Amino acid sequence: MIEYKKLRKEDVTLALFAGFERRQVVTKCWRQEEDGWKIREVPFVDDWNAENYVFLVQCLQDTAENGGLVLGAMEDGRLIGFAAAAPGKIGSRGQYVDLASLHVTAGRRGGGIGRQLFSRVGEWAREQGAEALYISAHSSVESQAFYRAMGCRLAQEVQSFHVQEEPFDVQMECPLA
């Protein structure tokens, strides 16, 4: 049975991620071109190394400590998925809560864990007074299919700091109404 629970700063440690597999073999991605969005062959392996996990733990701890949401999907005491929403709101009207992370361990993707995490973060964001989630989303066709299935669309107000951080991400939003 999967338990979804809010994680506190002290819950987020490197040990929490033992056995978590971020690895994603990517073959095709969406790319914005002069005449619109196109699917292109862009083969690579997206994976995290030890340094990435150290950075991730620090970011998630900061999020939990500063009023954001860190949500874990746990099964038999093991982390199999997680999502994080940054504290505060962004956008010209404060209309967005930033979905900073959403990941499911490789062997468990496609089973509804990501949908549950996304929905629960959306509920939390609505409680914070947000109109929409903002997502700087991976451009792989698989990630884009997930976000589109969740009701996401291209962001009406692109947040430039996300574009600078990840220029190939697709800037999206998901209305919460």
Side-chain angles (χ1 to χ4, degrees):
M1 186 158 108
I2 300 172
E3 176 188 6
Y4 295 89
K5 67 180 203 172
K6 184 176 180 177
L7 302 176
R8 301 163 301 160
K9 178 182 178 180
E10 54 270 20
D11 298 325
V12 182
T13 64
L14 279 174
L16 179 67
F17 292 92
F20 190 91
E21 187 179 359
R22 165 62 185 96
R23 183 179 172 85
Q24 180 179 359
V25 177
V26 177
T27 56
K28 295 180 181 181
C29 290
W30 285 93
R31 292 292 186 250
Q32 188 170 24
E33 298 180 359
E34 288 181 20
D35 59 341
W37 288 92
K38 307 284 184 196
I39 296 175
R40 296 291 179 224
E41 294 281 336
V42 187
F44 66 98
V45 176
D46 197 359
D47 204 353
W48 290 338
N49 61 30
E51 288 177 17
N52 297 132
Y53 279 103
V54 169
F55 181 72
L56 172 67
V57 165
Q58 184 62 57
C59 289
L60 294 176
Q61 287 176 341
D62 289 347
T63 297
E65 183 176 43
N66 293 309
L69 175 68
V70 179
L71 187 62
M74 309 294 293
E75 185 175 58
D76 298 325
R78 288 185 325 111
L79 182 75
I80 58 172
F82 69 95
K89 291 185 276 186
I90 59 173
S92 62
R93 302 182 328 277
Q95 70 268 35
Y96 297 124
V97 161
D98 192 355
L99 178 66
S101 295
L102 176 63
H103 298 282
V104 175
T105 195
R108 298 302 301 273
R109 294 180 191 142
I113 297 165
R115 285 180 172 275
Q116 275 294 317
L117 289 166
F118 188 92
S119 295
R120 290 167 188 248
V121 170
E123 290 171 19
W124 181 85
R126 200 172 14 261
E127 291 169 4
Q128 307 308 303
E131 298 171 18
L133 284 175
Y134 188 92
I135 308 106
S136 183
H138 198 288
S139 62
S140 73
V141 294
E142 297 86 358
S143 295
Q144 286 299 299
F146 168 79
Y147 286 114
R148 300 255 177 210
M150 295 306 297
C152 298
R153 62 185 184 209
L154 293 177
Q156 293 178 1
E157 188 179 301
V158 171
Q159 304 299 298
S160 61
F161 71 94
H162 274 303
V163 176
Q164 291 169 357
E165 191 172 294
E166 290 290 345
F168 291 115
D169 275 6
V170 179
Q171 304 305 307
M172 305 185 87
E173 65 181 47
C174 185
L176 298 173

